[in-house]
Amino acid sequence: MTATTARRVLLAAPRGYCAGVDRAVIAVEKALEQYGAPIYVRKEIVHNKYVVETLRKKGAIFVDETEEVPEGSIVIFSAHGVAPVVHEEAERRKLATIDATCPLVTKVHKEAVRFAKEDYDILLIGHEGHEEVIGTSGEAPDHITLVDGPGDVENVEVRDPDKVVWLSQTTLSVDETMETVDALKERFPGLVSPPSDDICYATQNRQTAVKQVAADSDLVIVVGSKNSSNSVRLVEVALGAGAKAGHLVDNASEIDEAWLEGVATVGVTSGASVPDVLVEGVLEWLAERGYGDVEVVQPMEEKLTFSLPKELRRDLRAEAERKAAG
Ligand code: SF4
C-alpha cells in the first residue's frame, strides 16, 4: 500500500440475519423459555456455528434425525424445511413438533406439490445434499430432478419436454441460476418458470449489496459458516463483481493478517444466518489494524418479518391468557 492510500472499510447492508433466520432462532429461544430444556432441534436450526453453540448452551439438543429424539419430546424443524416423511416419522414417534421452516422455503414446497399434481417434470436447481433441497425433493420425489448448476444440464432427462418447470433452492447465486436456466431453456424451449422468484429476497439483497461493495474493494471478507449456502455464494459473487480477493470466515479469529498486504479498501458483509455481533468483531479487528473508517453501502432497505411458528404462538398465547386470568 502506498503512503497516500487511505485505509477504509465498505460495509454492505443489508447483511446478516434475514426474517426466516430471525424467526427460527427466536422460536428455539422462546420454546426453551416456554417448555424448559431440553428442546430437540432436527439439524442445525440455521447454518451458523456461533448460533448453534449459543442455543446448545441454553439447552437445545441438535440431532440429525427425529429417531434420535425420545418419544413424547418436543422437536423443532430447522429453517431449511423438511420432507413430508419427516413429519410422518415425528407423528409416529408421538413427538410434539414446532416447524420453523422459513415461509419462503414453504412457498417452494407448495409450488413443487402443485406442479407435481399437474404432472410436470420439475427441475430443481440447487446443491446436491443441501438440507433444503432434500426437503423440497421429498415433496414430490417421483417428479423432481436435481440440477446442480449449468454443468449438470446436459445430464437432465425428462418424460415430456413440453411439460417441464424449473424451481430453485432459495439461497443460490442469482446470476449462476440464470445461467442454468438459460442452458435448460436451450434444451427444453417449452420450460415453464416458477410463478415468482424462488431465490429469496434476503439472498438477492445481500448479493446486490456485496456486488456494489466488491467493485471498490481490494479484499472482501464475508462472515459466515462454510456450510451456509448463501454465505459461500456471497464470496463467489464478490469475486465475480471485481473484488481482488474474497474470504469466508466464521469470526475475526479466522482472518489472516497476510490478506491485508497492499489492501486499501476492505469490503465486509455477512450471510443471512450470521448475528451482527460477529461482524462487529471483524470491524474491531480491522480498526485495530488501521481500517477504522467505515462507510455503509446500502442499495436497499429490508423490513420483512415473519410471525413465530403457529404451534408456538398458540402456546405462548395460552400462557399469556393464563397469567392474565390470575
Ligand atoms: S435465506 Fe431466505 S429462504 Fe432462507 S431463511 Fe432467510 S429468508 Fe428464508
Side-chain angles (χ1 to χ4, degrees), residues 63-322:
V63 296
D64 262 334
E65 294 303 338
T66 35
E67 64 196 24
E68 297 168 49
V69 182
E71 278 203 15
S73 307
I74 298 172
V75 64
I76 301 183
F77 295 144
S78 79
H80 308 100
V82 295
V85 288
V86 176
H87 283 284
E88 289 157 19
E89 161 80 7
E91 212 178 304
R92 254 198 314 279
R93 295 178 52 75
K94 302 187 175 28
L95 305 179
T97 58
I98 297 172
D99 190 355
T101 303
C102 176
L104 299 180
V105 174
T106 302
K107 187 200 82 165
V108 182
H109 281 223
K110 285 184 177 156
E111 286 170 351
V113 170
R114 175 164 77 82
F115 284 111
K117 261 192 194 141
E118 294 173 21
D119 204 28
Y120 275 84
D121 277 350
I122 301 165
L123 305 179
L124 177 64
I125 303 173
H127 295 302
E128 188 158 11
H130 191 280
E131 279 150 42
E132 183 187 322
V133 159
I134 294 169
T136 307
S137 299
E139 291 286 0
D142 297 337
H143 286 80
I144 294 182
T145 301
L146 182 67
V147 185
D148 194 344
D152 212 10
V153 170
E154 60 180 2
N155 306 320
V156 174
E157 284 178 23
V158 298
R159 292 170 302 160
D160 175 359
D162 290 324
K163 202 143 191 208
V164 192
V165 61
W166 70 273
L167 301 178
S168 87
Q169 191 180 326
T170 57
T171 50
L172 301 180
S173 147
V174 176
D175 298 336
E176 190 187 291
T177 302
M178 290 327 291
E179 253 181 67
T180 309
V181 171
D182 289 344
L184 284 171
K185 277 189 176 154
E186 260 182 46
R187 280 203 60 198
F188 311 114
L191 183 72
V192 172
S193 296
S196 60
D197 285 341
D198 287 343
I199 298 180
C200 75
Y201 81 100
T203 300
Q204 298 197 30
N205 290 351
R206 279 150 194 69
Q207 288 177 16
T208 303
V210 84
K211 271 186 191 172
Q212 280 200 15
V213 160
D216 293 322
S217 295
D218 303 304
L219 162 71
V220 170
I221 295 175
V222 177
V223 188
S225 291
K226 300 196 175 37
N227 62 343
S228 159
S229 172
N230 80 87
S231 303
V232 175
R233 300 292 83 76
L234 286 174
V235 178
E236 294 169 359
V237 169
L239 291 171
K244 295 191 188 101
H247 296 282
L248 183 67
V249 297
D250 256 303
N251 54 54
S253 74
E254 293 184 0
I255 306 174
D256 185 341
E257 296 248 17
W259 297 344
L260 296 178
E261 233 175 85
V263 164
T265 303
V266 183
V268 175
T269 188
S270 55
S273 46
V274 178
D276 225 36
V277 63
L278 298 178
V279 176
E280 283 157 22
V282 167
L283 294 178
E284 274 165 31
W285 188 96
L286 287 167
E288 283 161 14
R289 285 152 185 86
Y291 298 85
D293 173 15
V294 178
E295 187 185 321
V296 176
V297 177
Q298 180 159 23
M300 76 281 289
E301 290 201 10
E302 280 180 358
K303 295 208 169 74
L304 188 67
T305 55
F306 294 130
S307 52
L308 285 171
K310 60 179 186 317
E311 309 85 349
L312 196 51
R313 266 185 287 141
R314 177 200 61 208
D315 291 353
L316 290 172
R317 204 179 312 120
E319 173 80 5
E321 281 167 10
R322 251 196 314 277

